[in-house]
Amino acid sequence: MRIDEDVDWGTFERMFMDKSNLVLWAVPLALAVLLRVVTARWSHQLVMPIYFLIIPIVFYVVVAALGTDLARLRATGWIFDMGTTRESEAWYKFYSYW
């Protein structure tokens, strides 16, 4: 969600009180807390790379188990749109917002 408008209470509600946005924020927050707990428990040099390799695997296993369509996940913001049509933005456009 790009913030091009004046930041007011409505912006706050869309970012933090909308159910779909709240889930999009909560999952990475939970993963960050999990990473902190894991790295506090184990200090091996391969803990972090293995963690970051496991996260996408678990994500796609859950997606396959639920039978969710990738197009729907792109539309709801769970994965980037890779620009399959000319009208869509490039996947790296996200980084130009900051």
Side-chain angles (χ1 to χ4, degrees), residues 29-75:
L29 178 63
L31 289 173
V33 170
L34 177 65
L35 178 61
R36 180 67 183 113
V37 169
V38 167
T39 56
R41 171 100 169 118
W42 294 285
S43 61
H44 194 274
Q45 61 190 6
L46 291 177
V47 168
M48 194 170 293
I50 290 171
Y51 176 85
F52 284 112
L53 287 172
I54 289 174
I55 296 301
I57 293 169
V58 169
F59 175 78
Y60 284 108
V61 166
V62 169
V63 167
L66 294 176
T68 306
D69 184 31
L70 291 180
R72 178 178 150 99
L73 291 175
R74 280 190 188 96

Side-chain angles (χ1 to χ4, degrees), residues 5 8-9 52 55-56 58-59 62 66 77 79-80 85 87 89:
E5 58 201 44
D8 58 2
W9 184 253
F52 284 112
I55 296 301
V58 169
F59 175 78
V62 169
L66 294 176
I79 54 178
F80 286 117
T85 63
E87 294 83 31
E89 297 177 338

Side-chain angles (χ1 to χ4, degrees), residues 9 19 21 23 25 30 37 43 47-48 57 59 63 66 71 73 76-77 81-82 85 91 93-95 98:
W9 184 253
K19 182 181 170 185
N21 283 342
V23 173
W25 285 75
V37 169
S43 61
V47 168
M48 194 170 293
I57 293 169
F59 175 78
V63 167
L66 294 176
L73 291 175
T76 55
D81 182 10
M82 295 302 292
T85 63
W91 65 270
K93 177 74 173 164
F94 176 81
Y95 294 107
W98 289 282

